[in-house]
Amino acid sequence: MRNEAPNTPYSPATGLSRRGVVASATLAAAGLLGLGTPRATAAPVPSATAPSAGRARPPGGLSAFTAVAASEADAVTVPAGFTADVLAPWGQAVRASGPRWRADGSNTAAEQAMQVGSHHHGVQFFPLAEGAAGSRRGLLVIGHETTDPDLLGGGADKAIAAQGLTVLEVRESGGTWKAVDSAYNRRITGDSPVRFSGPVAVGGRSRGVLACSGQGITPWGTYLTAEENFNAFFGTDDPGWRRREADVRYGLSASGFGSPWHRTDPRFDLASAKARPGDFGWVVELDPHDPSSVPVKRTALGRFTHGSATVTESAGRAVVYSTDAEDGEYLYKYASAGSWRGLLAAGRSPLDHGTLYVARIAPDGAGEWLPLRHGEGPLTRAAGWRDQADVLVRTRLAADALGATPLGRPERVAVGPDGDVYLALANSAGGCSSCTGGAARAEAGAADPYGRVIRWRESDAEHHEGAHGFRWETFLAAGDRRLTSDGAFASPKGLWFGTDGTLWISTGVSGNALNGPSRTHRSAGNNALLAADTATGTVRRFLTAPRGAEVTGVTAAPDGQTLFVNIQHPGERTARWGAPDAAHPGAVSTWPDRRADSRPRSATVAVRRRP
């Protein structure tokens, strides 16, 4: 049962006022270190250096633009002088010899496994050369979160093949980016072999990476992806199946939600002896430089619906911030047990040896990180916790027991050049919209229908025993009347810092609220990508998405002159524009193909100034 320790909810009406101008500083870039494989290429991570006081941003940089107006157009719009080229749409063949996209949706599951996946979310660019050449050639890793049954053109087997990851080599020539045929190119799907590492041992042959959302890049040059809404795909037709406490807490039910796959694959049948719900809900590590590498699920980072996997470095340790991306869930931080360089030199993964923390946040701006360690506090054998593996498999219940603070749909985390950490809270209906059945859950705080971005600064002694604290405040509140029409937004979900210190905010208003009826949603228009100045709070709209789409992952080439932006699920059903179906897949959107007989496609676009 849930421990009675108090879970004080975060209330959007409380907290500190925005602090004054944040002093700029320099974030040292960590080097991309090879993992001991001949394919791994050492190259620098782009630095995230903010402009110091009085210093202008680089001339011609991406942050120098005239804001675009809110839009309801079925198009990607960018400022004058910029271009947005479709680079990696759903269904594009990963290799030159692969199957072509069929506009009628008739590609098979086997063909989909050799094509770019659907519902693009996280994205990261890995340069394949040093210096200027590294900004013209690299690997793009794209996460695929889910599928749309109305548009997929297939059943569960195809949906499983459309999720996971895509790795593509991309090159720029003459101002245009293109995917090229390469030995690096590959797909990771819901059927791909995986292995587990860390405190949790998983028996049998495991396969599948699913529901990929947020991402991170480690200092040693690997990609992290966050498995988010894996619980959507499980169900059962067995009337004798009964939910246990952990099933309720993790949203697992006989009917599932979305389109459960239990009739096709016994891994997803909750009543089957072959059911594998514990295989999903992890942070997954992949070496994109090694086409033969197997994805590794890093269990020390906990099991929940991860919305973020943001990596930074503090006092030589690897730090990973993550979120449980449902309304009323929690914010987490993982810190390696020692220097990540020292751990790697000893043949140990920094992601296997460390401590996972969950946040408790007070209305007065105080925050603390509570360690999820077996044997401490309520997490004892006497209280029903067998060992550290049990704590990590049931992370949500362990965080409940510690009295963590429920938040309003915590999504992506970004670390600024000055070390401040930013968190997107997408929105909250108030109460606990994520609860199912009779689960006893704390109220998730006051309603916050449009969302906000909060930020905090870690204590200087954050990694010393007994000193895991931080101070937080609201940075931006969506729907704030002080925002101009150029910066109106709602439901912030994605956060990413550019090389010049600009905070890029991507939005994900759901289809039932997109374009209205509320004034805030009408003024925000289609979902968008916005640029925020963290010193002044000024927000300007840079890009707007097609109808029905969210803007999700954002990354850049090392020189900061090209943004790679993911456009997710254009043409999804909306209250404003209606719904697609098999006969009318383009009822809401025909982006990007612009053909009446085609269907809308998620895609990565490359945005840069016109040559």
Side-chain angles (χ1 to χ4, degrees):
M1 297 294 292
R2 182 190 176 97
N3 186 279
E4 294 302 319
N7 296 58
T8 304
Y10 161 77
S11 171
T14 63
L16 307 178
S17 60
R18 182 181 302 154
R19 74 164 69 95
V21 174
V22 177
S24 298
T26 298
L27 178 67
L32 276 182
L33 302 183
L35 292 180
T37 64
R39 298 181 183 88
T41 303
V45 172
S47 65
T49 304
S52 59
R55 192 176 81 194
R57 299 186 187 275
L62 289 170
S63 61
F65 66 90
T66 301
V68 300
S71 173
E72 289 193 346
D74 186 28
V76 170
T77 61
V78 292
F82 288 79
T83 183
D85 297 319
V86 176
L87 179 59
W90 166 41
Q92 174 179 291
V94 170
R95 298 298 303 270
S97 59
R100 303 296 96 185
W101 160 258
R102 297 178 189 168
D104 62 1
S106 62
N107 285 110
T108 65
E111 290 173 330
Q112 174 63 80
M114 296 183 282
Q115 298 170 322
V116 174
S118 179
H119 282 55
H120 299 35
H121 200 127
V123 62
Q124 188 68 53
F125 182 88
F126 291 81
L128 283 176
E130 297 183 5
S135 292
R136 298 192 301 272
R137 175 178 176 239
L139 300 179
L140 207 60
V141 185
I142 306 165
H144 304 289
E145 186 176 11
T146 188
T147 59
D148 188 331
D150 294 327
L151 299 172
L152 180 65
D157 55 345
K158 187 174 179 182
I160 291 169
Q163 294 200 33
L165 299 168
T166 297
V167 181
L168 292 175
E169 182 175 340
V170 294
R171 298 183 186 182
E172 182 269 328
S173 178
T176 300
W177 284 88
K178 293 182 179 180
V180 299
D181 196 29
S182 169
Y184 290 113
N185 295 3
R186 65 189 295 206
R187 280 294 320 282
I188 303 294
T189 75
D191 273 327
S192 298
V194 299
R195 67 182 182 90
F196 283 72
S197 189
V200 179
V202 175
R205 187 174 70 91
S206 297
R207 66 185 200 273
V209 178
L210 295 176
C212 297
S213 61
Q215 92 292 334
I217 181 172
T218 66
W220 51 94
T222 58
Y223 179 89
L224 300 186
T225 188
E227 292 186 309
E228 192 174 332
N229 295 318
F230 69 93
N231 45 9
F233 313 125
F234 287 83
T236 187
D237 294 327
D238 186 340
W241 181 77
R242 295 292 180 269
R243 302 172 85 193
R244 299 165 300 174
E245 180 186 20
D247 297 323
V248 173
R249 191 63 186 84
Y250 276 83
L252 296 167
S253 67
S255 59
F257 62 93
S259 298
W261 302 333
H262 59 280
R263 295 186 182 96
T264 300
D265 190 327
R267 286 182 297 164
F268 302 99
D269 187 340
L270 292 168
S272 170
K274 298 179 180 179
R276 309 283 298 202
D279 282 10
F280 302 100
W282 304 101
V283 170
V284 186
E285 184 178 21
L286 179 72
D287 180 2
H289 298 93
D290 181 359
S292 65
S293 64
V294 174
V296 181
K297 301 205 174 185
R298 297 295 181 183
T299 63
L301 278 67
R303 175 176 169 263
F304 44 90
T305 59
H306 288 268
S308 192
T310 300
V311 186
T312 188
E313 182 178 348
S314 180
R317 300 171 189 255
V319 175
V320 183
Y321 290 101
S322 191
T323 59
D324 194 342
E326 291 186 359
D327 195 7
E329 293 301 340
Y330 305 135
L331 167 67
Y332 295 86
K333 178 177 79 168
Y334 171 88
S336 63
S339 160
W340 64 263
R341 291 179 175 86
L343 288 166
L344 286 179
R348 307 169 77 193
S349 170
L351 301 180
D352 288 345
H353 302 278
T355 301
L356 181 65
Y357 302 86
V358 66
R360 179 186 286 157
I361 299 174
D364 66 358
E368 61 180 320
W369 294 108
L370 310 173
L372 289 152
R373 290 196 194 102
H374 183 258
E376 297 185 10
L379 305 180
T380 63
R381 186 176 294 273
W385 299 93
R386 294 187 303 275
D387 52 23
Q388 184 63 22
D390 189 23
V391 170
L392 295 168
V393 169
R394 297 190 291 151
T395 304
R396 279 185 172 179
L397 288 105
D400 292 346
L402 292 179
T405 303
L407 298 169
R409 286 188 68 198
E411 291 278 354
R412 298 291 285 276
V413 177
V415 181
D418 59 0
D420 280 6
V421 189
Y422 292 72
L423 167 65
L425 300 174
N427 54 55
S428 176
C432 183
S433 63
S434 66
C435 295
T436 54
R441 295 282 286 120
E443 289 291 306
D448 189 15
Y450 308 119
R452 64 193 52 236
V453 178
I454 68 171
R455 65 182 171 189
W456 65 90
R457 175 157 292 182
E458 300 280 3
S459 163
D460 290 338
E462 64 178 295
H463 293 304
H464 294 290
E465 193 65 30
H468 302 280
F470 58 94
R471 298 291 301 177
W472 74 274
E473 66 180 3
T474 293
F475 167 57
L476 285 172
D480 191 321
R481 293 179 182 273
R482 290 172 294 182
L483 292 171
T484 69
S485 59
D486 286 342
F489 70 95
S491 294
K493 293 180 71 174
L495 301 176
W496 180 80
F497 273 98
T499 56
D500 63 356
T502 297
L503 175 62
W504 295 91
I505 302 173
S506 52
T507 69
V509 179
S510 62
N512 62 354
L514 192 62
N515 307 116
S518 77
R519 181 173 66 178
T520 296
H521 287 132
R522 287 198 306 273
S523 65
N526 292 354
N527 281 308
L529 177 65
L530 305 102
D533 186 319
T534 59
T536 66
T538 302
V539 182
R540 295 172 298 146
R541 190 179 301 102
F542 177 77
L543 174 151
T544 64
R547 292 174 182 168
E550 293 185 37
V551 181
T552 50
V554 182
T555 191
D559 63 5
Q561 298 302 301
T562 300
L563 279 183
F564 301 99
V565 182
N566 278 347
I567 305 296
Q568 186 187 78
H569 62 63
E572 185 179 64
R573 63 178 61 235
T574 67
R576 175 75 171 84
W577 303 106
D581 56 35
H584 306 92
V588 176
S589 174
T590 58
W591 188 89
D593 295 343
R594 301 299 188 198
R595 289 174 45 184
D597 62 341
S598 188
R599 56 200 58 221
R601 305 161 72 182
S602 297
T604 302
V605 296
V607 183
R608 58 183 288 120
R609 288 189 178 276
R610 295 185 184 277

